[in-house]
Amino acid sequence: MSPDFHIPYVLPTALLAIALVFKFPTLVRAWRDPDVRATTILLACATAVLVVITPINIHRLNVWTGVPNIAAPWAYSFLTAFCATGLTMIMRWREPPSERRRRRMIAIYWIYAGIIVALWGTFLLADVPEPRIYDLDTYYASTLWMREHTLLYLFAHMVSSLIAAYMLWKWFPEVTHRWLKAGVIFLQVGYASGLVFDITKLIAVAARWTGTDLDWLSTKAAPPFALLEAVLVALGFIVPQAGPFLQRWGRDQAEYVRLRALWRTVKVVGPAAATARIGFLAPLDLRLMQREQRIHDALRLLAPYYNPAAHQAAYTAAHATHGEEAARGIAGAIALQDATVAYEKKALHDTSDQPPQIGPDVTDHLNAIARSLYRPRTLDRIRGQVASTESANAHA
């Protein structure tokens, strides 16, 4: 009977596959970076494990290859490679580059490569003619060579989880970087989940040896912990790398959006020279840099139309009811709006006593000015107060 479609397997598999797709461009750009290569391999192995152990895919492999239970050595080989890559990644994080570290990492790869060879060897030697999709480990728990096959992958996984958990536990108090600390926490919980998976499986297998049926531990209780481990360990290695990038991206995105109103205000000023066109699909940091550059270019061209006295009057009125930074933003927004109107009318401000320029009262507060431009009612109110004050002074 064909196995049912299982959402619990699909969701974590899809998440890991998406992470792998997003990581691939980084691999292409920085394939010489060992950390990037190791992270990509780890994601690929975790994804492959979940793809192979999905019940519908186990059934498909049995049918397509004509070899009953062939999914077992495939899944356990990917799992073993996942374990080796995880251990070496932790070593890369904890220890500075050295010849000793390099030798230890090579030893880990060789040991786990040997385990993969042994997995295939024991499977080929075993007699497992009956396809088992859900209960392979317990159904063949007493079968020669398949018993060794099962114990080999479980103990290899358990040892790697114990060693990884121990290294992370010893290292955790030394970690100060918040993204790295978050990654270590994900890893610790992930490897703990892996240990629960191993212990649950071993209890079910050992129960078969004594004639007891605890298969539900292997078929129902253990799989969720395997899925949880794959996702958490993958997240543990991704978060320290993706976290700072996402944080920087979020900051740049907020800055880019915040400067939109300021750019729209001053873009009536044509650039002094043709500028390169950067499309919407260009990297965000490049688009942000261009927007900032265009704003500064526009301010330079607006300088002959900028009225410092109007800026000071607006600042005085705004400071009466707002804090320092907000008042600077309101005053700068009003002064720049007036300058753009003067530019469109070609009404130069009288700057005979000093060269035309827009000083730090504006250029040092562009973010505050950009925020103020999103509050037109506040600007209109302060502008009205300035006009009322000037009118009262004129009639005094």
Side-chain angles (χ1 to χ4, degrees):
M1 182 175 63
S2 177
D4 298 327
F5 184 76
H6 283 269
I7 294 296
Y9 290 90
V10 174
L11 292 179
T13 305
L15 289 175
L16 288 175
I18 291 170
L20 183 60
V21 169
F22 277 104
K23 191 70 180 175
F24 188 74
T26 305
L27 175 66
V28 174
R29 292 194 304 269
W31 65 273
R32 293 181 182 274
D33 187 331
D35 288 344
V36 172
R37 289 201 306 269
T39 305
T40 307
I41 293 172
L42 182 136
L43 281 174
C45 290
T47 306
V49 170
L50 295 187
V51 168
V52 175
I53 68 171
T54 302
I56 188 66
N57 290 333
I58 294 175
H59 176 72
R60 286 169 178 167
L61 277 172
N62 289 338
V63 173
W64 291 345
T65 63
V67 180
N69 305 306
I70 190 64
W74 276 113
Y76 302 155
S77 295
F78 286 127
L79 179 63
T80 302
F82 174 81
C83 294
T85 309
L87 285 176
T88 56
M89 280 289 291
I90 295 171
M91 293 171 62
R92 290 181 193 279
W93 284 1
R94 291 180 71 241
E95 306 172 22
S98 66
E99 182 61 25
R100 178 174 177 271
R101 189 191 76 171
R102 189 184 71 84
R103 288 197 302 267
R104 290 171 62 203
M105 290 170 59
I106 291 175
I108 288 174
Y109 284 130
W110 276 110
I111 290 171
Y112 279 84
I115 292 172
I116 291 174
V117 172
L119 284 170
W120 281 95
T122 51
F123 177 79
L124 293 174
L125 291 171
D127 182 19
V128 286
E130 177 67 23
R132 306 301 300 184
I133 293 175
Y134 299 101
D135 60 348
L136 176 70
D137 296 335
T138 51
Y139 186 83
Y140 289 111
S142 300
T143 301
L144 181 64
W145 295 115
M146 197 59 194
R147 173 185 57 214
E148 287 74 14
H149 180 85
T150 301
L151 293 176
L152 184 61
Y153 95 81
L154 284 175
F155 278 115
H157 182 257
M158 179 180 289
V159 169
S160 71
S161 296
L162 285 170
I163 294 174
Y166 174 77
M167 289 194 297
L168 292 167
W169 181 263
K170 295 285 289 184
W171 185 43
F172 185 77
E174 304 173 16
V175 180
T176 56
H177 190 280
R178 63 171 182 164
W179 288 109
L180 185 56
K181 187 178 285 287
V184 171
I185 292 173
F186 276 120
L187 289 172
Q188 287 177 317
V189 178
Y191 283 119
S193 300
L195 288 173
V196 174
F197 167 82
D198 295 326
I199 293 170
T200 306
K201 282 275 188 180
L202 284 171
I203 291 174
V205 170
R208 277 294 186 119
W209 297 342
T210 61
T212 306
D213 186 351
L214 294 179
D215 287 9
W216 65 271
L217 287 175
S218 177
T219 58
K220 302 293 184 182
F225 290 102
L227 299 177
L228 185 63
E229 180 197 13
V231 173
L232 290 179
V233 172
L235 281 174
F237 288 116
I238 292 172
V239 164
Q241 300 177 46
F245 168 79
L246 293 176
Q247 184 179 21
R248 184 171 60 254
W249 184 90
R251 185 173 60 247
D252 288 350
Q253 182 66 37
E255 182 79 359
Y256 186 77
V257 172
R258 186 162 48 243
L259 290 176
R260 180 188 300 162
L262 178 55
W263 165 235
R264 287 178 175 175
T265 299
V266 301
K267 73 176 182 178
V268 296
V269 182
T275 57
R277 295 183 62 84
I278 298 178
F280 180 75
L281 297 179
L284 176 60
D285 56 348
L286 187 59
R287 288 186 284 127
L288 175 61
M289 182 179 66
Q290 185 186 60
R291 176 165 286 183
E292 291 172 338
Q293 185 61 49
R294 287 179 174 178
I295 289 173
H296 284 285
D297 288 345
L299 293 181
R300 179 172 54 81
L301 296 174
L302 280 175
Y305 306 91
Y306 171 73
N307 186 349
H311 177 276
Q312 183 59 40
Y315 170 73
T316 301
H319 198 256
T321 54
H322 295 79
E324 173 67 18
E325 187 65 13
R328 291 291 181 187
I330 293 169
I334 292 174
L336 289 180
Q337 285 178 335
D338 292 346
T340 57
V341 172
Y343 174 85
E344 291 178 315
K345 295 180 178 180
K346 302 303 179 186
L348 291 170
H349 179 66
D350 182 12
T351 58
S352 56
D353 57 335
Q354 59 182 352
Q357 63 175 348
I358 296 180
D361 283 349
V362 171
T363 57
D364 288 353
H365 303 279
L366 293 182
N367 282 330
I369 293 171
R371 284 192 295 269
S372 297
L373 287 167
Y374 284 105
R375 296 181 293 171
R377 292 184 179 179
T378 300
L379 299 182
D380 291 342
R381 179 171 55 81
I382 298 299
R383 197 188 303 275
Q385 292 177 7
V386 171
S388 298
T389 301
E390 291 177 347
S391 177
N393 291 337
H395 291 86

